[in-house]
Amino acid sequence: MSTHSERTAPQRSSDATAVPRVAAVIVLAAGEGTRMKSRTSKILHEVAGESMISSALRAAAALEPQRLVVVVGHQRAQVEEHLAEVAPEATIAVQEQQNGTGDAVRVGLDALPADLSGDVVVTYGDVPMLSGATLQALVDTHNTQHNAATVLTANVDDPTGYGRVVRENHQVLRIVEHKDADPDELFITEINSGIYVFDADLLRRGLASLRTNNSQGELYLTDVIEYANRHHHAVGAYQTEDTWQTEGVNDRVQLARMNAEVNRRICEHWMLQGVTIADPATTWIQRDVTLEQDVTLLPGTQLLGATSIAAGATIGPDTTLKDVEVGEDAQVIRTHGELAVIGPRTNVGPWARLRPGTELAMGGKIGTFVETKNAKIGENSKVPHLTYCGDAIIGEDVNVGAGTVFANYDGKHKSTTHLGDDVFIGSNSVLVAPVDVADGAFVAAGSAIIDDVPAGALAVARGREHVSDSWVAARHPGSKADEAARNSTGDIHPAVQASRQALAADAAKNSSQDN
C-alpha cells in the first residue's frame, strides 16, 4: 500500500492564507428515531431550550457555507414546518426510504448542483453539543493537511456501538462498524463521530461505488473512506478532546444526560462570569439567557427563553421565568413569569404569577398569591397579595388592597382599568372595567366600583350592615356559639377600641384644620 506521502488530494490554492468557503453542508435528519418513542420527531426534541436540529444548524452556520441541505424522511412534515421557521434558507432533500447514511448523503448531494466543487461537510441533526468551533477546526485540518476526506473522531473509554477508526500513522485506512469489526478492531478506542469533510468530487465518486454487502444490508458512508484509500487519496482525522460533541441522542435517557451536561456547562460559564448559583444541580438555564455580575440564583430556579437578569438581582428559590426581563437589585421569589418586565429594586412573590404583558416599574411590588396579565404597574406601586390584576394601567405610589379583583372580562370583551397616581384601593374591592379611578382617589374596602371615581374622591359601593340581635340563640340554642355569646361581657375588644380612637382623633384633627 502506498505511504501517506504518496497519496493525492484535489488541487488547492497555493496561497496558504486563502481558505475557500465550504461549498455545502449536508445535515442528515431522516432517521426514524424509534427508540425515542414519541409522536414528535426525534430531532425536534430540545436540549437547553433549543431543538436538536436547530443546534445542528447553528453549528453548521458558523462555517458560512455557500449551500445548506437538510435530508429529511421520517415525520418529515413536522421537520419541514420547523425548518421553515429556523432555517428558511436551507434546501430540503427527502430520503424516501432509510437505506443507510450513504444513501442519505447521496440524496443530499443530488439536491446540489451537479458540478459542485470544493468541500462538503456532512453532519447530523441529533448531535446537539457539536459546536461551530469544532466544525471549523475539522475543516481547517482538512485544508491544512490537503486531505480528500477528513473525519471527526474521539477517544472514548467504552467504544461499544461505535464505528472504529483504523489508522496507519496519520492516514485513516477505514472505519469499521461495531457489528462488522473483528476482535482486534473491537479493542480500538478511537471512534467515528459520523461527521466528515469531503472533497465534492471524491464524495460523488465514492457514493457511486457503495454496495450493501454488510450486516445491515445498507449503504455505509464509512465505505467512502475505503474508496478514497483504494484510489490513493489522503484521508485524515481531527480528534476532539470533548467527546460529548460526538454523542448523538437516540432515546430519552440520552436526552436527559445531554440536557444535564449542557446545563452544567451553562451554569459553570455563568458562575465564572460572576453569577452566584447556590445549587447548580437544581438550576436550569437555557442557551439564550443573559446574566450580569452579582446575580444570585437560588435552588429550584429555571431561566428559559430570552430571559435577562440585571446585576444584583436575586432569583428564587423555586422560580421559573421565560422571556422575562429583570432589573437591577430586584428580588423574585417563588414566582412563575412569562413575557414580563420586572423593574429595578422591585419585589415579586412568593407565589406570584406574571402573565404576558406584565410590566412592574422601579420600586414596585407584586406579592403573595397575585396574578397579573397585561398590567402596567407604575413606580413604587404595590399589589401585595391575593389579587387578580388584568388589563390594568396603574400609576405611581398606588396601593391595591388584599383580595382586589380587576374584573376585566364580561364574557365577550376584555376592558381596561386605570388607577391614577397615589390611589388607594381598599381590600376586597372589585373594579369592573372599563373604569377610571383618578389621581389621589380612595376606594373603600368591600366596594364594587362600576363608575369612574374623580380625583381626590372617596368611593363607597357596598350595602349597609344589618345586625339581627339574638340570632344565634334563636337558630342554634345550646350550641358552643350560644354558650360563648351568653358568657360574653359584650365589651368591644381593646385593640378595636384603640383603632377607633385613633381614627376619631385623626378625623378631629383634620376637621379642626379645615375650620
Side-chain angles (χ1 to χ4, degrees):
M1 182 174 287
S2 302
T3 64
H4 177 69
S5 61
E6 295 171 322
R7 295 179 181 274
T8 62
Q11 201 67 24
R12 299 184 186 274
S13 170
S14 59
D15 182 359
T17 63
V19 178
R21 285 176 62 190
V22 169
V25 175
I26 299 174
V27 181
L28 305 185
E32 291 188 30
T34 53
R35 281 179 282 172
M36 194 65 79
K37 292 181 171 56
S38 177
R39 293 174 295 177
T40 301
S41 169
K42 178 180 76 170
I43 59 174
L44 299 186
H45 285 262
E46 293 186 350
V47 173
E50 182 178 46
S51 69
M52 290 194 283
I53 186 63
S54 293
S55 298
L57 294 170
R58 178 168 44 81
L63 299 177
E64 299 182 353
Q66 296 176 30
R67 293 177 174 84
L68 173 65
V69 177
V70 181
V71 180
V72 302
H74 187 65
Q75 295 175 306
R76 54 180 284 196
Q78 291 181 13
V79 178
E80 289 179 1
E81 182 179 358
H82 185 65
L83 290 174
E85 296 178 4
V86 301
E89 74 283 3
T91 297
I92 296 176
V94 180
Q95 185 185 24
E96 298 292 351
Q97 293 184 333
Q98 281 66 62
N99 192 29
T101 52
D103 181 60
V105 174
R106 178 193 57 77
V107 169
L109 199 60
D110 286 347
L112 294 166
D115 60 349
L116 181 80
S117 63
D119 293 335
V120 176
V121 173
V122 176
T123 183
Y124 292 84
D126 64 350
V127 189
M129 288 188 67
L130 178 67
S131 70
T134 295
L135 278 182
Q136 188 62 63
L138 175 66
V139 172
D140 290 346
T141 299
H142 182 75
N143 284 281
T144 300
Q145 296 180 355
H146 302 292
N147 292 331
T150 307
V151 57
L152 178 65
T153 70
N155 264 314
V156 297
D157 293 333
D158 181 7
T160 302
Y162 288 98
R164 309 304 204 276
V165 176
V166 181
R167 286 178 179 258
E168 183 180 278
N169 298 321
H170 295 294
Q171 177 76 11
V172 175
L173 301 180
R174 63 186 180 277
I175 297 170
V176 183
E177 296 298 322
H178 180 88
K179 293 181 179 180
D180 299 317
D182 63 32
D184 289 336
E185 290 166 341
L186 289 175
F187 279 105
I188 297 173
T189 58
E190 186 178 16
I191 57 97
N192 170 34
S193 69
I195 298 163
Y196 304 87
V197 187
F198 293 103
D199 171 73
D201 184 58
L202 168 72
L203 180 59
R204 195 176 290 112
R205 289 184 284 111
L207 291 173
S209 74
L210 297 184
R211 299 293 181 268
T212 58
N213 54 341
N214 53 63
S215 63
Q216 298 295 322
E218 296 181 345
L219 298 175
Y220 287 164
L221 180 60
T222 51
D223 289 344
V224 175
I225 300 301
E226 285 196 66
Y227 173 87
N229 274 283
R230 289 198 306 270
H231 291 80
H232 311 298
H233 290 294
V235 180
Y238 172 73
Q239 187 178 108
T240 177
E241 294 182 0
D242 185 1
T243 59
W244 282 96
Q245 294 200 45
T246 66
E247 285 207 19
V249 173
N250 294 305
D251 57 37
R252 301 196 196 229
V253 174
Q254 292 174 330
L255 182 68
R257 288 181 61 247
M258 192 71 68
N259 265 298
E261 176 60 18
V262 171
N263 189 69
R264 184 193 68 78
R265 295 185 184 198
I266 291 173
C267 288
E268 183 176 280
H269 163 78
W270 287 117
M271 287 188 286
L272 293 173
Q273 298 300 313
V275 173
T276 295
I277 301 179
D279 184 12
T282 63
T283 302
W284 292 84
I285 306 172
Q286 292 186 346
R287 295 185 194 273
D288 293 334
V289 170
T290 57
L291 307 173
E292 295 184 3
Q293 289 184 359
D294 294 317
V295 164
T296 298
L297 305 180
L298 299 178
T301 292
Q302 298 181 75
L303 303 180
L304 314 176
T307 294
S308 63
I309 314 293
T314 298
I315 311 297
D318 307 322
T319 293
T320 299
L321 303 179
K322 182 178 182 180
D323 299 322
V324 173
E325 177 185 330
V326 180
E328 290 187 4
D329 301 315
Q331 294 193 19
V332 184
I333 304 169
R334 290 189 170 88
T335 292
H336 188 103
E338 182 175 1
L339 288 168
V341 177
I342 299 171
R345 296 185 290 283
T346 53
N347 283 274
V348 178
W351 317 119
R353 184 185 180 196
L354 278 55
R355 291 169 59 191
T358 297
E359 297 180 15
L360 179 63
M362 181 172 62
K365 178 180 179 62
I366 294 174
T368 306
F369 299 117
V370 173
E371 179 177 345
T372 59
K373 189 271 297 182
N374 194 26
K376 295 175 174 58
I377 301 170
E379 290 189 11
N380 301 313
S381 290
K382 298 174 176 60
V383 187
H385 30 223
L386 300 165
T387 290
Y388 171 69
C389 180
D391 295 296
I393 301 171
I394 297 176
E396 298 180 0
D397 298 297
V398 172
N399 186 85
V400 177
T404 297
V405 175
F406 288 69
N408 61 328
Y409 184 49
D410 63 5
K412 186 175 181 181
H413 302 103
K414 296 286 182 73
S415 299
T416 300
T417 295
H418 170 252
L419 307 182
D421 296 342
D422 296 288
V423 163
F424 181 92
I425 305 297
S427 296
N428 200 37
S429 294
V430 179
L431 307 174
V432 183
V435 70
D436 190 299
V437 181
D439 295 348
F442 277 56
V443 170
S447 294
I449 302 299
I450 61 173
D451 297 318
D452 295 344
V453 181
L458 169 66
V460 183
R462 60 192 181 201
R464 298 296 301 172
E465 179 179 341
H466 172 75
V467 177
S468 295
D469 290 331
S470 303
W471 182 87
V472 171
R475 294 294 183 90
H476 302 282
S479 67
K480 288 185 177 181
D482 184 31
E483 183 181 352
R486 292 178 187 280
N487 294 331
S488 173
T489 63
D491 294 337
I492 304 300
H493 194 280
V496 176
Q497 288 280 32
S499 294
R500 287 177 174 169
Q501 290 168 2
L503 290 172
D506 189 55
K509 180 181 176 181
N510 290 335
S511 177
S512 64
Q513 289 176 346
D514 293 340
N515 294 330

